[in-house]
Amino acid sequence: MDNVRLDKWLWAARFFKTRALAKKAIEGGKVHYNGGRAKTSKNVEVGALIRVPQGWDTWEVEVMALSDQRRGAAEARELYRETPDSAARRARESDERRLVNQAMQHPLKRPDKKQRRDIQRFQRQQDD
C-alpha cells in the first residue's frame, strides 16, 4: 500500500470515529502534517509527524505504517508511534486537570430561588 489519504489514515488509526469527522478536523486546521496545515487528500508517508487533537489532549505521532482499513485497536496502534514529548505533555496536562478538579469545591445542594437570582445578577454584571 503506497497511497493513503490523510482522512482515511486517521480513521483507520482510530483517531476519529468516522471519516467525516476526520475530514472536518483537517479542513478546520486542527490536524497538522509535518508542522503545517494539510488538505484531506494529502497522501500520508511513513515517517511523517502528525499532530491530532483528541478531546482535551493533543497527540503528536509518527506514522509507522499505512492502512486504509479500520481494524481493531491493537492493530491500529501499530500504525503510529507517539513521540516521547507528546506522551510526557499529555501525562502532565492530565495530572494538572485532575488536581484542578480535586481542588474545586462542589456545592452540597442546588441553589434556592434567592441564590439563583443572586447568581444571575452577578452574571449580568460580568457581561456589562
PDB file of all heavy atoms in Angstrom, residues 84-112:
ATOM      1  N   PRO A  84       7.915  10.881  22.440  1.00  0.00           N
ATOM      2  CA  PRO A  84       8.091  10.949  23.905  1.00  0.00           C
ATOM      3  C   PRO A  84       7.645  12.292  24.492  1.00  0.00           C
ATOM      4  O   PRO A  84       7.082  12.340  25.585  1.00  0.00           O
ATOM      5  CB  PRO A  84       9.584  10.735  24.105  1.00  0.00           C
ATOM      6  CG  PRO A  84      10.054  10.069  22.861  1.00  0.00           C
ATOM      7  CD  PRO A  84       9.157  10.517  21.764  1.00  0.00           C
ATOM      8  N   ASP A  85       7.904  13.391  23.768  1.00  0.00           N
ATOM      9  CA  ASP A  85       7.480  14.713  24.250  1.00  0.00           C
ATOM     10  C   ASP A  85       5.964  14.782  24.372  1.00  0.00           C
ATOM     11  O   ASP A  85       5.424  15.335  25.338  1.00  0.00           O
ATOM     12  CB  ASP A  85       7.964  15.814  23.303  1.00  0.00           C
ATOM     13  CG  ASP A  85       9.472  15.956  23.314  1.00  0.00           C
ATOM     14  OD1 ASP A  85      10.095  15.511  24.301  1.00  0.00           O
ATOM     15  OD2 ASP A  85      10.009  16.512  22.339  1.00  0.00           O
ATOM     16  N   SER A  86       5.276  14.240  23.392  1.00  0.00           N
ATOM     17  CA  SER A  86       3.818  14.259  23.391  1.00  0.00           C
ATOM     18  C   SER A  86       3.262  13.448  24.554  1.00  0.00           C
ATOM     19  O   SER A  86       2.336  13.881  25.240  1.00  0.00           O
ATOM     20  CB  SER A  86       3.287  13.707  22.064  1.00  0.00           C
ATOM     21  OG  SER A  86       1.891  13.575  22.087  1.00  0.00           O
ATOM     22  N   ALA A  87       3.823  12.277  24.785  1.00  0.00           N
ATOM     23  CA  ALA A  87       3.349  11.426  25.882  1.00  0.00           C
ATOM     24  C   ALA A  87       3.569  12.111  27.231  1.00  0.00           C
ATOM     25  O   ALA A  87       2.675  12.088  28.094  1.00  0.00           O
ATOM     26  CB  ALA A  87       4.068  10.080  25.849  1.00  0.00           C
ATOM     27  N   ALA A  88       4.733  12.732  27.407  1.00  0.00           N
ATOM     28  CA  ALA A  88       5.020  13.421  28.665  1.00  0.00           C
ATOM     29  C   ALA A  88       4.086  14.615  28.856  1.00  0.00           C
ATOM     30  O   ALA A  88       3.575  14.842  29.958  1.00  0.00           O
ATOM     31  CB  ALA A  88       6.471  13.880  28.692  1.00  0.00           C
ATOM     32  N   ARG A  89       3.857  15.376  27.795  1.00  0.00           N
ATOM     33  CA  ARG A  89       2.974  16.544  27.880  1.00  0.00           C
ATOM     34  C   ARG A  89       1.539  16.122  28.200  1.00  0.00           C
ATOM     35  O   ARG A  89       0.885  16.717  29.047  1.00  0.00           O
ATOM     36  CB  ARG A  89       3.011  17.333  26.565  1.00  0.00           C
ATOM     37  CG  ARG A  89       2.194  18.619  26.617  1.00  0.00           C
ATOM     38  CD  ARG A  89       2.223  19.399  25.317  1.00  0.00           C
ATOM     39  NE  ARG A  89       1.647  18.628  24.233  1.00  0.00           N
ATOM     40  CZ  ARG A  89       2.316  18.155  23.184  1.00  0.00           C
ATOM     41  NH1 ARG A  89       3.598  18.366  23.062  1.00  0.00           N
ATOM     42  NH2 ARG A  89       1.698  17.465  22.251  1.00  0.00           N
ATOM     43  N   ARG A  90       1.058  15.054  27.546  1.00  0.00           N
ATOM     44  CA  ARG A  90      -0.312  14.594  27.821  1.00  0.00           C
ATOM     45  C   ARG A  90      -0.461  14.116  29.265  1.00  0.00           C
ATOM     46  O   ARG A  90      -1.454  14.404  29.921  1.00  0.00           O
ATOM     47  CB  ARG A  90      -0.696  13.474  26.857  1.00  0.00           C
ATOM     48  CG  ARG A  90      -1.024  13.939  25.477  1.00  0.00           C
ATOM     49  CD  ARG A  90      -1.621  12.880  24.569  1.00  0.00           C
ATOM     50  NE  ARG A  90      -1.112  11.534  24.741  1.00  0.00           N
ATOM     51  CZ  ARG A  90      -1.758  10.554  25.373  1.00  0.00           C
ATOM     52  NH1 ARG A  90      -2.939  10.758  25.901  1.00  0.00           N
ATOM     53  NH2 ARG A  90      -1.234   9.344  25.465  1.00  0.00           N
ATOM     54  N   ALA A  91       0.552  13.410  29.780  1.00  0.00           N
ATOM     55  CA  ALA A  91       0.500  12.934  31.169  1.00  0.00           C
ATOM     56  C   ALA A  91       0.506  14.106  32.141  1.00  0.00           C
ATOM     57  O   ALA A  91      -0.256  14.117  33.122  1.00  0.00           O
ATOM     58  CB  ALA A  91       1.672  12.005  31.444  1.00  0.00           C
ATOM     59  N   ARG A  92       1.359  15.100  31.869  1.00  0.00           N
ATOM     60  CA  ARG A  92       1.434  16.274  32.749  1.00  0.00           C
ATOM     61  C   ARG A  92       0.116  17.043  32.747  1.00  0.00           C
ATOM     62  O   ARG A  92      -0.398  17.413  33.805  1.00  0.00           O
ATOM     63  CB  ARG A  92       2.589  17.178  32.299  1.00  0.00           C
ATOM     64  CG  ARG A  92       2.838  18.352  33.215  1.00  0.00           C
ATOM     65  CD  ARG A  92       3.953  19.257  32.717  1.00  0.00           C
ATOM     66  NE  ARG A  92       3.576  19.900  31.464  1.00  0.00           N
ATOM     67  CZ  ARG A  92       4.141  19.676  30.277  1.00  0.00           C
ATOM     68  NH1 ARG A  92       5.132  18.816  30.166  1.00  0.00           N
ATOM     69  NH2 ARG A  92       3.734  20.315  29.209  1.00  0.00           N
ATOM     70  N   GLU A  93      -0.451  17.275  31.573  1.00  0.00           N
ATOM     71  CA  GLU A  93      -1.710  18.017  31.485  1.00  0.00           C
ATOM     72  C   GLU A  93      -2.859  17.240  32.130  1.00  0.00           C
ATOM     73  O   GLU A  93      -3.747  17.833  32.742  1.00  0.00           O
ATOM     74  CB  GLU A  93      -2.037  18.342  30.025  1.00  0.00           C
ATOM     75  CG  GLU A  93      -1.099  19.384  29.438  1.00  0.00           C
ATOM     76  CD  GLU A  93      -1.306  19.584  27.952  1.00  0.00           C
ATOM     77  OE1 GLU A  93      -2.122  18.840  27.341  1.00  0.00           O
ATOM     78  OE2 GLU A  93      -0.657  20.487  27.394  1.00  0.00           O
ATOM     79  N   SER A  94      -2.836  15.926  32.007  1.00  0.00           N
ATOM     80  CA  SER A  94      -3.864  15.103  32.646  1.00  0.00           C
ATOM     81  C   SER A  94      -3.782  15.224  34.172  1.00  0.00           C
ATOM     82  O   SER A  94      -4.811  15.351  34.850  1.00  0.00           O
ATOM     83  CB  SER A  94      -3.680  13.640  32.234  1.00  0.00           C
ATOM     84  OG  SER A  94      -4.574  12.818  32.922  1.00  0.00           O
ATOM     85  N   ASP A  95      -2.563  15.198  34.705  1.00  0.00           N
ATOM     86  CA  ASP A  95      -2.384  15.360  36.151  1.00  0.00           C
ATOM     87  C   ASP A  95      -2.852  16.742  36.612  1.00  0.00           C
ATOM     88  O   ASP A  95      -3.492  16.871  37.664  1.00  0.00           O
ATOM     89  CB  ASP A  95      -0.916  15.157  36.541  1.00  0.00           C
ATOM     90  CG  ASP A  95      -0.487  13.707  36.442  1.00  0.00           C
ATOM     91  OD1 ASP A  95      -1.379  12.825  36.438  1.00  0.00           O
ATOM     92  OD2 ASP A  95       0.728  13.459  36.363  1.00  0.00           O
ATOM     93  N   GLU A  96      -2.542  17.769  35.825  1.00  0.00           N
ATOM     94  CA  GLU A  96      -2.972  19.122  36.177  1.00  0.00           C
ATOM     95  C   GLU A  96      -4.498  19.224  36.201  1.00  0.00           C
ATOM     96  O   GLU A  96      -5.073  19.822  37.116  1.00  0.00           O
ATOM     97  CB  GLU A  96      -2.403  20.135  35.176  1.00  0.00           C
ATOM     98  CG  GLU A  96      -0.918  20.360  35.327  1.00  0.00           C
ATOM     99  CD  GLU A  96      -0.348  21.227  34.226  1.00  0.00           C
ATOM    100  OE1 GLU A  96      -1.120  21.698  33.361  1.00  0.00           O
ATOM    101  OE2 GLU A  96       0.876  21.435  34.227  1.00  0.00           O
ATOM    102  N   ARG A  97      -5.156  18.644  35.206  1.00  0.00           N
ATOM    103  CA  ARG A  97      -6.630  18.670  35.171  1.00  0.00           C
ATOM    104  C   ARG A  97      -7.212  17.930  36.371  1.00  0.00           C
ATOM    105  O   ARG A  97      -8.182  18.376  36.981  1.00  0.00           O
ATOM    106  CB  ARG A  97      -7.144  18.046  33.878  1.00  0.00           C
ATOM    107  CG  ARG A  97      -7.021  18.937  32.674  1.00  0.00           C
ATOM    108  CD  ARG A  97      -7.821  18.410  31.517  1.00  0.00           C
ATOM    109  NE  ARG A  97      -7.487  17.046  31.136  1.00  0.00           N
ATOM    110  CZ  ARG A  97      -6.565  16.708  30.250  1.00  0.00           C
ATOM    111  NH1 ARG A  97      -5.846  17.640  29.663  1.00  0.00           N
ATOM    112  NH2 ARG A  97      -6.347  15.441  29.970  1.00  0.00           N
ATOM    113  N   ARG A  98      -6.609  16.792  36.718  1.00  0.00           N
ATOM    114  CA  ARG A  98      -7.090  16.018  37.857  1.00  0.00           C
ATOM    115  C   ARG A  98      -6.960  16.810  39.152  1.00  0.00           C
ATOM    116  O   ARG A  98      -7.880  16.858  39.968  1.00  0.00           O
ATOM    117  CB  ARG A  98      -6.312  14.704  37.958  1.00  0.00           C
ATOM    118  CG  ARG A  98      -6.813  13.771  39.050  1.00  0.00           C
ATOM    119  CD  ARG A  98      -6.038  12.469  39.078  1.00  0.00           C
ATOM    120  NE  ARG A  98      -4.606  12.620  39.004  1.00  0.00           N
ATOM    121  CZ  ARG A  98      -3.820  12.956  40.029  1.00  0.00           C
ATOM    122  NH1 ARG A  98      -4.352  13.187  41.198  1.00  0.00           N
ATOM    123  NH2 ARG A  98      -2.508  13.052  39.868  1.00  0.00           N
ATOM    124  N   LEU A  99      -5.820  17.489  39.338  1.00  0.00           N
ATOM    125  CA  LEU A  99      -5.600  18.270  40.552  1.00  0.00           C
ATOM    126  C   LEU A  99      -6.545  19.470  40.632  1.00  0.00           C
ATOM    127  O   LEU A  99      -7.049  19.798  41.711  1.00  0.00           O
ATOM    128  CB  LEU A  99      -4.147  18.735  40.624  1.00  0.00           C
ATOM    129  CG  LEU A  99      -3.124  17.625  40.851  1.00  0.00           C
ATOM    130  CD1 LEU A  99      -1.715  18.177  40.739  1.00  0.00           C
ATOM    131  CD2 LEU A  99      -3.350  16.954  42.189  1.00  0.00           C
ATOM    132  N   VAL A 100      -6.791  20.126  39.501  1.00  0.00           N
ATOM    133  CA  VAL A 100      -7.715  21.262  39.486  1.00  0.00           C
ATOM    134  C   VAL A 100      -9.122  20.804  39.839  1.00  0.00           C
ATOM    135  O   VAL A 100      -9.827  21.459  40.616  1.00  0.00           O
ATOM    136  CB  VAL A 100      -7.688  21.965  38.112  1.00  0.00           C
ATOM    137  CG1 VAL A 100      -8.849  22.920  37.958  1.00  0.00           C
ATOM    138  CG2 VAL A 100      -6.377  22.699  37.932  1.00  0.00           C
ATOM    139  N   ASN A 101      -9.525  19.664  39.314  1.00  0.00           N
ATOM    140  CA  ASN A 101     -10.866  19.151  39.615  1.00  0.00           C
ATOM    141  C   ASN A 101     -10.999  18.752  41.076  1.00  0.00           C
ATOM    142  O   ASN A 101     -12.062  18.898  41.673  1.00  0.00           O
ATOM    143  CB  ASN A 101     -11.211  17.966  38.713  1.00  0.00           C
ATOM    144  CG  ASN A 101     -11.541  18.397  37.311  1.00  0.00           C
ATOM    145  OD1 ASN A 101     -11.941  19.537  37.078  1.00  0.00           O
ATOM    146  ND2 ASN A 101     -11.374  17.504  36.360  1.00  0.00           N
ATOM    147  N   GLN A 102      -9.922  18.237  41.661  1.00  0.00           N
ATOM    148  CA  GLN A 102      -9.973  17.880  43.078  1.00  0.00           C
ATOM    149  C   GLN A 102     -10.051  19.121  43.956  1.00  0.00           C
ATOM    150  O   GLN A 102     -10.662  19.095  45.018  1.00  0.00           O
ATOM    151  CB  GLN A 102      -8.742  17.068  43.468  1.00  0.00           C
ATOM    152  CG  GLN A 102      -8.764  15.654  42.975  1.00  0.00           C
ATOM    153  CD  GLN A 102      -7.494  14.910  43.353  1.00  0.00           C
ATOM    154  OE1 GLN A 102      -6.518  15.499  43.823  1.00  0.00           O
ATOM    155  NE2 GLN A 102      -7.498  13.600  43.123  1.00  0.00           N
ATOM    156  N   ALA A 103      -9.430  20.214  43.517  1.00  0.00           N
ATOM    157  CA  ALA A 103      -9.403  21.435  44.318  1.00  0.00           C
ATOM    158  C   ALA A 103     -10.737  22.171  44.286  1.00  0.00           C
ATOM    159  O   ALA A 103     -11.032  22.952  45.187  1.00  0.00           O
ATOM    160  CB  ALA A 103      -8.294  22.358  43.832  1.00  0.00           C
ATOM    161  N   MET A 104     -11.534  21.932  43.258  1.00  0.00           N
ATOM    162  CA  MET A 104     -12.830  22.629  43.165  1.00  0.00           C
ATOM    163  C   MET A 104     -13.793  22.077  44.218  1.00  0.00           C
ATOM    164  O   MET A 104     -13.896  20.870  44.398  1.00  0.00           O
ATOM    165  CB  MET A 104     -13.439  22.437  41.772  1.00  0.00           C
ATOM    166  CG  MET A 104     -12.735  23.240  40.733  1.00  0.00           C
ATOM    167  SD  MET A 104     -13.410  23.133  39.064  1.00  0.00           S
ATOM    168  CE  MET A 104     -15.051  22.585  39.236  1.00  0.00           C
ATOM    169  N   GLN A 105     -14.463  22.986  44.888  1.00  0.00           N
ATOM    170  CA  GLN A 105     -15.428  22.578  45.900  1.00  0.00           C
ATOM    171  C   GLN A 105     -16.815  22.610  45.279  1.00  0.00           C
ATOM    172  O   GLN A 105     -17.276  23.641  44.802  1.00  0.00           O
ATOM    173  CB  GLN A 105     -15.369  23.515  47.099  1.00  0.00           C
ATOM    174  CG  GLN A 105     -16.273  23.097  48.219  1.00  0.00           C
ATOM    175  CD  GLN A 105     -16.154  24.052  49.400  1.00  0.00           C
ATOM    176  OE1 GLN A 105     -15.545  25.097  49.281  1.00  0.00           O
ATOM    177  NE2 GLN A 105     -16.741  23.686  50.509  1.00  0.00           N
ATOM    178  N   HIS A 106     -17.469  21.477  45.261  1.00  0.00           N
ATOM    179  CA  HIS A 106     -18.791  21.385  44.679  1.00  0.00           C
ATOM    180  C   HIS A 106     -19.846  21.685  45.746  1.00  0.00           C
ATOM    181  O   HIS A 106     -19.687  21.317  46.907  1.00  0.00           O
ATOM    182  CB  HIS A 106     -19.014  19.994  44.088  1.00  0.00           C
ATOM    183  CG  HIS A 106     -18.068  19.693  42.966  1.00  0.00           C
ATOM    184  ND1 HIS A 106     -18.185  20.250  41.726  1.00  0.00           N
ATOM    185  CD2 HIS A 106     -16.961  18.909  42.902  1.00  0.00           C
ATOM    186  CE1 HIS A 106     -17.224  19.833  40.944  1.00  0.00           C
ATOM    187  NE2 HIS A 106     -16.458  19.006  41.647  1.00  0.00           N
ATOM    188  N   PRO A 107     -20.921  22.341  45.362  1.00  0.00           N
ATOM    189  CA  PRO A 107     -21.955  22.661  46.345  1.00  0.00           C
ATOM    190  C   PRO A 107     -22.629  21.397  46.878  1.00  0.00           C
ATOM    191  O   PRO A 107     -22.733  20.389  46.177  1.00  0.00           O
ATOM    192  CB  PRO A 107     -22.942  23.526  45.560  1.00  0.00           C
ATOM    193  CG  PRO A 107     -22.687  23.241  44.136  1.00  0.00           C
ATOM    194  CD  PRO A 107     -21.249  22.830  44.028  1.00  0.00           C
ATOM    195  N   LEU A 108     -23.080  21.476  48.113  1.00  0.00           N
ATOM    196  CA  LEU A 108     -23.731  20.326  48.729  1.00  0.00           C
ATOM    197  C   LEU A 108     -25.166  20.157  48.247  1.00  0.00           C
ATOM    198  O   LEU A 108     -25.702  19.058  48.279  1.00  0.00           O
ATOM    199  CB  LEU A 108     -23.706  20.475  50.256  1.00  0.00           C
ATOM    200  CG  LEU A 108     -22.306  20.534  50.878  1.00  0.00           C
ATOM    201  CD1 LEU A 108     -22.407  20.816  52.374  1.00  0.00           C
ATOM    202  CD2 LEU A 108     -21.569  19.237  50.626  1.00  0.00           C
ATOM    203  N   LYS A 109     -25.780  21.256  47.828  1.00  0.00           N
ATOM    204  CA  LYS A 109     -27.161  21.180  47.342  1.00  0.00           C
ATOM    205  C   LYS A 109     -27.352  22.208  46.233  1.00  0.00           C
ATOM    206  O   LYS A 109     -26.502  23.066  46.006  1.00  0.00           O
ATOM    207  CB  LYS A 109     -28.148  21.449  48.475  1.00  0.00           C
ATOM    208  CG  LYS A 109     -28.010  22.823  49.087  1.00  0.00           C
ATOM    209  CD  LYS A 109     -29.037  23.061  50.147  1.00  0.00           C
ATOM    210  CE  LYS A 109     -28.881  24.520  50.610  1.00  0.00           C
ATOM    211  NZ  LYS A 109     -30.093  25.066  51.093  1.00  0.00           N
ATOM    212  N   ARG A 110     -28.471  22.108  45.554  1.00  0.00           N
ATOM    213  CA  ARG A 110     -28.775  23.048  44.491  1.00  0.00           C
ATOM    214  C   ARG A 110     -29.133  24.408  45.092  1.00  0.00           C
ATOM    215  O   ARG A 110     -29.677  24.478  46.199  1.00  0.00           O
ATOM    216  CB  ARG A 110     -29.952  22.536  43.669  1.00  0.00           C
ATOM    217  CG  ARG A 110     -29.603  21.284  42.880  1.00  0.00           C
ATOM    218  CD  ARG A 110     -30.778  20.760  42.135  1.00  0.00           C
ATOM    219  NE  ARG A 110     -31.365  21.791  41.287  1.00  0.00           N
ATOM    220  CZ  ARG A 110     -32.376  21.574  40.460  1.00  0.00           C
ATOM    221  NH1 ARG A 110     -32.920  20.382  40.381  1.00  0.00           N
ATOM    222  NH2 ARG A 110     -32.861  22.546  39.724  1.00  0.00           N
ATOM    223  N   PRO A 111     -28.846  25.500  44.368  1.00  0.00           N
ATOM    224  CA  PRO A 111     -29.190  26.820  44.908  1.00  0.00           C
ATOM    225  C   PRO A 111     -30.704  27.006  44.976  1.00  0.00           C
ATOM    226  O   PRO A 111     -31.437  26.526  44.112  1.00  0.00           O
ATOM    227  CB  PRO A 111     -28.561  27.798  43.917  1.00  0.00           C
ATOM    228  CG  PRO A 111     -28.236  27.016  42.708  1.00  0.00           C
ATOM    229  CD  PRO A 111     -28.146  25.586  43.099  1.00  0.00           C
ATOM    230  N   ASP A 112     -31.151  27.721  46.018  1.00  0.00           N
ATOM    231  CA  ASP A 112     -32.582  28.017  46.112  1.00  0.00           C
ATOM    232  C   ASP A 112     -32.896  29.242  45.241  1.00  0.00           C
ATOM    233  O   ASP A 112     -32.030  29.769  44.539  1.00  0.00           O
ATOM    234  CB  ASP A 112     -33.010  28.223  47.566  1.00  0.00           C
ATOM    235  CG  ASP A 112     -32.267  29.361  48.240  1.00  0.00           C
ATOM    236  OD1 ASP A 112     -31.673  30.186  47.527  1.00  0.00           O
ATOM    237  OD2 ASP A 112     -32.289  29.420  49.483  1.00  0.00           O
TER     238      ASP A 112
END
